[in-house]
């Protein structure tokens, strides 16, 4: 389904807990992205990665961490430093070729705080 | 960095009418402008996109126009149908910035039968 798989679909975090959201793609895309979506708002960029073992902060990186050890995988960790983590998290990937910057999105993970 | 403003935040039209959503961007280097449709609880889906070397693009009932001088672009939906009801997002990016898309705030379109 679009070649990008996010898991879990729903996730609950306790106070002081770190949680990790999974994102896997089989599209052979070089670039991967994490966006956060709050109700009634647009998508805000958390982190992005253009190649393996390299990533850059987006507009709202504080309280989050990522890794890119494999081309196919770009997990996002929501740390205890993120005080307002409740949101819908979307992972995306792109071939990042000149003339083809289309983003393909996963189905999202809804994170809530217990 | 790039900033994208989108208006209106909500739009209600009668079935069969046209709908127009407008976006402005701040970075003149941006050269790729996609529009996404997101139904409730679903992932955003690309519906149309335009590059800075083109002024207008159409795909059946959907069209996008771009004014580079004024740094704004618009989505036009004609002959709206109830299934067009969704949240629409505009976005802008530049290849040399890692292809990261900066999104507008979204427009909730409601098409009343």
């Amino acid at each position: 389904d679009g070649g990008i798989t996010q898991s879990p679909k729903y996730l609950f975090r306790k106070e002081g807990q770190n949680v990790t959201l999974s994102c896997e793609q089989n599209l052979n895309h070089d670039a991967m992205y994490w966006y956060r979506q709050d109700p009634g708002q647009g998508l805000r960029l958390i982190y992005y990665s253009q190649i393996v073992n390299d990533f850059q902060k987006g507009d709202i990186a504080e309280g989050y961490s990522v890794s890119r050890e494999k081309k196919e995988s770009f997990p996002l960790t929501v740390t205890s430093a993120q005080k307002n983590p409740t949101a819908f998290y979307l992972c995306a990937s792109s071939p990042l070729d000149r003339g083809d910057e289309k983003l393909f999105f996963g189905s999202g993970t809804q994170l809530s705080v217990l | 960095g790039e900033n994208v403003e989108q208006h209106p935040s909500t739009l209600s039209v009668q079935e069969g009418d046209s709908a127009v959503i407008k976006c402005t961007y701040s970075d003149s280097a941006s050269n790729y402008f996609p529009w996404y449709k997101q139904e409730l609880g679903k992932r955003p889906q690309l519906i149309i996109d335009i590059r800075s070397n083109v002024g207008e693009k159409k795909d059946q009932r959907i069209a996008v126009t771009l004014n580079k001088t004024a740094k704004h672009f618009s989505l036009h939906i004609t002959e709206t149908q109830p299934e067009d009801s969704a949240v629409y997002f505009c976005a802008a990016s530049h290849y040399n910035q890692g292809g990261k898309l900066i999104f507008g705030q979204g427009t909730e379109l409601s098409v009343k039968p």
Side-chain angles (χ1 to χ4, degrees), chain A residues 5-22:
Chain A
T5 302
Q6 286 187 244
S7 62
K9 189 174 177 67
Y10 299 98
L11 187 58
F12 297 90
R13 195 192 87 168
K14 296 179 182 178
E15 289 288 338
Q17 185 182 40
N18 293 353
V19 292
T20 298
L21 285 61
S22 171

Side-chain angles (χ1 to χ4, degrees), chain B residues 5-55:
Chain B
E5 296 286 336
Q6 182 173 346
H7 299 281
S9 57
T10 60
L11 180 59
S12 181
V13 299
Q14 288 294 131
E15 182 177 359
D17 288 349
S18 295
V20 180
I21 303 170
K22 299 182 179 181
C23 289
T24 59
Y25 61 98
S26 60
D27 188 351
S28 57
S30 290
N31 58 5
Y32 175 64
F33 307 94
W35 286 88
Y36 283 82
K37 175 183 179 181
Q38 186 180 30
E39 297 176 355
L40 191 63
K42 301 281 184 68
R43 74 187 78 192
Q45 300 270 16
L46 178 70
I47 57 171
I48 195 168
D49 56 10
I50 192 168
R51 300 188 178 282
S52 57
N53 59 347
V54 175

